[in-house]
């Protein structure tokens, strides 16, 4: 038998093409895998990098102190003692305490009646520099004075250092023989002056309205 001199093929053309494509894919993927492994090696050899990243992350809500029935005592510039109590308090990372079912009492003296505040929620801010303590009360705020007046408002801000409190979201004052409504109230306990804006008043028992 006479040979024709041609080299026999072990694979057909389709198999050779598939093999070439697999080799090309591996050449593209291998550098990416090498870089990824190198990065893991760098992180593993430098634990300070991981610690720094965790320190730079935002503080979680768990980094707080939960207090049942907190009691905060102090004294205003006029010498009157005050006490803020609540069902629960959450001490935040900046020193602010958020409270629920808040009750605050300011003692009276010979010149000024006592004050009692209650609200669904409250925020107590500790002194920062010369600012002094401040309290915000939110949700069904009820203020009762020792001489028989009641104030109802959704929000009150109290500056304990200056003995001034504000109702900026509307207020209703109930007295023994009258009801007063206003859009704003600024109460200066040092001077015993209450400043109302846009007053509407009803006198009892005559049921007369005044503006």
């Amino acid at each position: 038998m006479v040979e024709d001199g041609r080299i026999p093929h072990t694979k057909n053309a389709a198999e050779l093409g598939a093999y070439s494509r697999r080799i090309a894919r591996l050449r593209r993927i291998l550098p990416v895998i090498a870089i990824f492994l190198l990065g893991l090696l760098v992180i593993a050899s430098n634990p300070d990098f991981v610690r720094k990243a965790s320190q730079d992350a935002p503080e979680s809500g768990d980094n707080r102190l939960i207090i049942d029935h907190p009691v905060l005592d102090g004294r205003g510039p006029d010498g009157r003692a005050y006490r803020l109590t609540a069902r629960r308090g959450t001490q935040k990372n900046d020193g602010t305490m958020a409270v629920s079912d808040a009750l605050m009492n300011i003692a009276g003296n010979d010149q000024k009646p006592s004050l009692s505040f209650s609200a669904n929620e409250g925020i107590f801010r500790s002194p920062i520099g010369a600012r002094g303590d401040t309290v915000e009360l939110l949700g069904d705020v009820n203020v009762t004075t020792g001489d028989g007046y009641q104030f109802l408002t959704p929000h009150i801000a109290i500056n304990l250092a200056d003995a001034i409190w504000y109702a900026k979201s509307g207020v209703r004052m109930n007295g023994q023989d009258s009801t007063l409504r206003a859009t704003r109230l600024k109460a200066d306990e040092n001077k015993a002056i209450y400043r109302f804006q846009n007053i509407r008043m009803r006198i009892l028992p005559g049921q007369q309205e005044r503006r």
Side-chain angles (χ1 to χ4, degrees):
M1 184 176 63
V2 179
E3 294 181 353
D4 60 2
R6 291 179 297 178
I7 301 174
H9 294 283
T10 59
K11 297 181 180 180
N12 58 36
E15 291 175 337
L16 288 175
Y19 179 79
S20 299
R21 288 193 295 272
R22 285 196 295 270
I23 294 297
R25 271 200 301 269
L26 286 175
R27 287 176 178 174
R28 291 195 299 268
I29 295 173
L30 284 176
V32 176
I33 296 175
I35 294 173
F36 177 75
L37 293 176
L38 180 61
L40 291 178
L41 181 62
V42 170
I43 293 175
S45 62
N46 187 8
D48 289 338
F49 177 84
V50 179
R51 188 179 304 113
K52 178 67 166 54
S54 63
Q55 290 173 351
D56 291 341
E59 294 176 333
S60 66
D62 294 334
N63 193 13
R64 299 178 178 181
L65 178 64
I66 306 298
I67 306 173
D68 288 330
H69 307 292
V71 178
L72 303 171
D73 291 319
R75 194 170 294 274
D78 56 0
R80 292 195 294 170
Y82 64 81
R83 167 170 288 190
L84 174 65
T85 62
R87 180 178 59 85
R88 173 168 291 186
T90 302
Q91 186 76 41
K92 297 185 179 180
N93 298 317
D94 60 358
T96 299
M97 178 175 287
V99 296
S100 59
D101 295 336
L103 178 62
M104 182 171 179
N105 293 300
I106 300 178
N109 56 26
D110 295 338
Q111 290 79 33
K112 301 171 185 176
S114 61
L115 288 170
S116 177
F117 301 83
S118 64
N120 296 337
E121 300 175 357
I123 301 174
F124 178 85
R125 294 183 174 87
S126 299
I128 301 176
R131 289 178 57 186
D133 295 345
T134 62
V135 176
E136 285 188 61
L137 299 176
L138 309 166
D140 295 330
V141 183
N142 189 325
V143 185
T144 304
T145 68
D147 53 358
Y149 289 95
Q150 179 191 45
F151 299 85
L152 302 174
T153 181
H155 175 265
I156 275 183
I158 308 170
N159 188 326
L160 296 171
D162 297 331
I164 296 176
W165 54 277
Y166 304 85
K168 299 180 179 181
S169 303
V171 62
R172 186 179 77 190
M173 184 183 77
N174 298 325
Q176 295 178 355
D177 57 0
S178 63
T179 298
L180 182 149
R181 296 178 184 271
T183 56
R184 295 170 65 96
L185 164 64
K186 177 182 178 181
D188 188 336
E189 295 295 331
N190 284 319
K191 301 177 181 178
I193 296 176
Y194 287 22
R195 293 185 174 91
F196 296 90
Q197 292 184 8
N198 301 322
I199 296 174
R200 185 180 184 90
M201 188 172 183
R202 172 168 291 181
I203 305 296
L204 302 175
Q207 302 296 320
Q208 298 176 352
E209 286 194 359
R210 297 181 182 178
R211 284 187 181 271

